[in-house]
Amino acid sequence: MKTVLLMRHAKSKRGPEYDTDFERPLAKRGKRDAERVGAFLIEQDLVPELILSSPARRARDTAERCAEAAGCPEAVQLEPSLYGGSEEAYLSLLWALEDTVGRVMFVGHNPDLEVVVEELGHRYARMPTCALARVDADVERWEAFFQGARRLVWVQYPREL
């Protein structure tokens, strides 16, 4: 079984004090929501082996807080292509995964995440901040993930946790 978890960064702050979009930090609610998702991953026995995150501050902080709450802080890797890279960046990273990885989580941005969820799960799902989508395929190799029957199992919203 291969599982892809797709998470949009948590709620972030806005304002003139942030020179660029890349530097925007998490809001108080965003910090709380990221930690709730991490706890949810433990409850569901879905702790990822690898977390690939956009390096933008809000995404990186989301990934790190979530991973810490899930007990896997060492799983986070920053992936520059996930900031402004389009849905192709996500798909390319999936193609390149080692087959020893059974569960991977991406932390990134819209509109790319909604496109990737639809591409992988074969149906549209709204991805507000800190939403988490799960796509499964009953395959042994990531190459087969793209060829086999994949399904969007669920989308979890932080307000439901």
Side-chain angles (χ1 to χ4, degrees):
M1 172 72 76
K2 298 294 184 193
T3 298
V4 177
L5 301 166
L6 298 144
M7 182 180 188
R8 184 174 173 200
H9 67 78
K11 182 75 173 166
S12 60
K13 293 181 181 179
R14 295 185 182 270
E17 64 271 28
Y18 309 112
D19 291 335
T20 66
D21 174 71
F22 192 85
E23 297 170 356
R24 289 178 27 225
L26 292 179
K28 185 177 178 181
R29 186 181 98 199
K31 293 174 184 177
R32 182 191 69 227
D33 287 348
E35 292 165 2
R36 284 181 174 172
V37 171
F40 173 78
L41 291 172
I42 290 174
E43 291 169 11
Q44 299 296 308
D45 196 25
L46 286 173
V47 175
E49 298 157 63
L50 176 63
I51 300 173
L52 298 173
S53 174
S54 159
R57 184 173 174 192
R58 63 193 180 276
R60 182 185 70 235
D61 290 352
T62 299
E64 290 171 353
R65 282 182 175 273
C66 181
E68 185 69 35
C72 63
E74 71 289 342
V76 178
Q77 292 182 20
L78 300 182
E79 181 51 57
S81 67
L82 296 180
Y83 183 73
S86 85
E87 69 274 6
E88 292 302 319
Y90 293 83
L91 300 177
S92 294
L93 289 166
L94 270 177
W95 266 105
L97 284 177
E98 296 289 328
D99 289 329
T100 56
V101 175
R103 189 176 306 121
V104 63
M105 184 165 96
F106 289 91
V107 180
H109 311 272
N110 265 351
D112 299 341
L113 272 175
E114 287 181 348
V115 173
V116 174
V117 169
E118 186 172 13
E119 171 77 20
L120 295 179
H122 305 297
R123 69 174 202 241
Y124 173 78
R126 192 175 64 83
M127 295 293 289
T129 55
C130 219
L132 178 70
R134 175 183 177 182
V135 178
D136 284 350
D138 192 16
V139 296
E140 296 297 318
R141 304 188 65 212
W142 285 107
E143 179 181 314
F145 186 87
F146 291 94
Q147 301 162 354
R150 305 178 304 266
R151 63 186 177 95
L152 178 61
V153 179
W154 44 249
V155 177
Q156 184 68 50
Y157 301 107
R159 68 178 179 270
E160 298 169 349
L161 300 176

